[in-house]
Tab-separated table of all heavy atoms in Angstrom:
chain	number	residue	atom	x	y	z
B	41	GLY	N	210.709	120.845	72.566
B	41	GLY	CA	210.834	121.027	74.005
B	41	GLY	C	210.871	119.733	74.797
B	41	GLY	O	210.912	119.765	76.026
B	42	ILE	N	210.842	118.587	74.117
B	42	ILE	CA	210.796	117.308	74.845
B	42	ILE	C	212.102	117.055	75.599
B	42	ILE	O	213.186	117.386	75.121
B	42	ILE	CB	210.489	116.132	73.887
B	42	ILE	CG1	210.249	114.846	74.678
B	42	ILE	CG2	211.590	115.948	72.863
B	42	ILE	CD1	209.784	113.681	73.835
B	43	LYS	N	211.964	116.527	76.807
B	43	LYS	CA	213.116	116.186	77.642
B	43	LYS	C	212.782	114.929	78.415
B	43	LYS	O	211.628	114.642	78.682
B	43	LYS	CB	213.376	117.305	78.651
B	43	LYS	CG	214.290	118.394	78.152
B	43	LYS	CD	214.597	119.333	79.306
B	43	LYS	CE	214.960	120.698	78.800
B	43	LYS	NZ	214.630	121.719	79.805
B	44	LEU	N	213.825	114.197	78.817
B	44	LEU	CA	213.600	113.007	79.633
B	44	LEU	C	213.212	113.391	81.059
B	44	LEU	O	212.465	112.687	81.714
B	44	LEU	CB	214.874	112.159	79.668
B	44	LEU	CG	214.936	110.961	78.740
B	44	LEU	CD1	216.263	110.248	78.935
B	44	LEU	CD2	213.796	109.999	79.019
B	45	GLY	N	213.744	114.511	81.546
B	45	GLY	CA	213.427	114.922	82.914
B	45	GLY	C	214.136	114.076	83.959
B	45	GLY	O	213.557	113.704	84.980
B	46	LEU	N	215.405	113.758	83.694
B	46	LEU	CA	216.153	112.893	84.622
B	46	LEU	C	216.315	113.529	85.999
B	46	LEU	O	216.334	112.834	87.012
B	46	LEU	CB	217.535	112.565	84.029
B	46	LEU	CG	217.529	111.661	82.801
B	46	LEU	CD1	218.940	111.448	82.288
B	46	LEU	CD2	216.892	110.322	83.127
B	47	ALA	N	216.427	114.875	86.033
B	47	ALA	CA	216.595	115.549	87.325
B	47	ALA	C	215.363	115.362	88.205
B	47	ALA	O	215.424	115.535	89.422
B	47	ALA	CB	216.884	117.021	87.110
B	48	ASN	N	214.260	114.991	87.569
B	48	ASN	CA	213.032	114.692	88.295
B	48	ASN	C	213.235	113.542	89.297
B	48	ASN	O	212.570	113.484	90.328
B	48	ASN	CB	211.934	114.321	87.280
B	48	ASN	CG	210.552	114.382	87.876
B	48	ASN	OD1	210.311	115.120	88.822
B	48	ASN	ND2	209.634	113.594	87.339
B	49	ILE	N	214.178	112.644	88.977
B	49	ILE	CA	214.474	111.525	89.875
B	49	ILE	C	214.960	112.052	91.225
B	49	ILE	O	214.556	111.559	92.283
B	49	ILE	CB	215.546	110.595	89.246
B	49	ILE	CG1	214.998	109.980	87.952
B	49	ILE	CG2	215.972	109.517	90.218
B	49	ILE	CD1	216.028	109.192	87.169
B	50	VAL	N	215.802	113.088	91.169
B	50	VAL	CA	216.337	113.667	92.400
B	50	VAL	C	215.221	114.331	93.203
B	50	VAL	O	215.115	114.153	94.424
B	50	VAL	CB	217.467	114.672	92.080
B	50	VAL	CG1	217.925	115.380	93.344
B	50	VAL	CG2	218.627	113.974	91.411
B	51	THR	N	214.378	115.094	92.510
B	51	THR	CA	213.255	115.749	93.206
B	51	THR	C	212.335	114.698	93.818
B	51	THR	O	211.871	114.848	94.952
B	51	THR	CB	212.467	116.634	92.222
B	51	THR	OG1	213.391	117.369	91.425
B	51	THR	CG2	211.577	117.604	92.963
B	52	LEU	N	212.072	113.627	93.072
B	52	LEU	CA	211.236	112.533	93.591
B	52	LEU	C	211.804	111.977	94.881
B	52	LEU	O	211.091	111.794	95.870
B	52	LEU	CB	211.193	111.396	92.560
B	52	LEU	CG	210.014	111.293	91.610
B	52	LEU	CD1	210.254	110.134	90.662
B	52	LEU	CD2	208.736	111.074	92.384
B	53	PHE	N	213.104	111.723	94.854
B	53	PHE	CA	213.768	111.182	96.039
B	53	PHE	C	213.641	112.142	97.214
B	53	PHE	O	213.292	111.737	98.335
B	53	PHE	CB	215.247	110.915	95.724
B	53	PHE	CG	216.024	110.409	96.900
B	53	PHE	CD1	215.937	109.079	97.283
B	53	PHE	CD2	216.823	111.266	97.631
B	53	PHE	CE1	216.632	108.621	98.385
B	53	PHE	CE2	217.524	110.814	98.736
B	53	PHE	CZ	217.441	109.485	99.113
Side-chain angles (χ1 to χ4, degrees):
Chain B
I42 188 173
K43 271 187 205 153
L44 260 181
L46 291 178
N48 197 27
I49 297 173
V50 174
T51 316
L52 262 177
F53 178 79

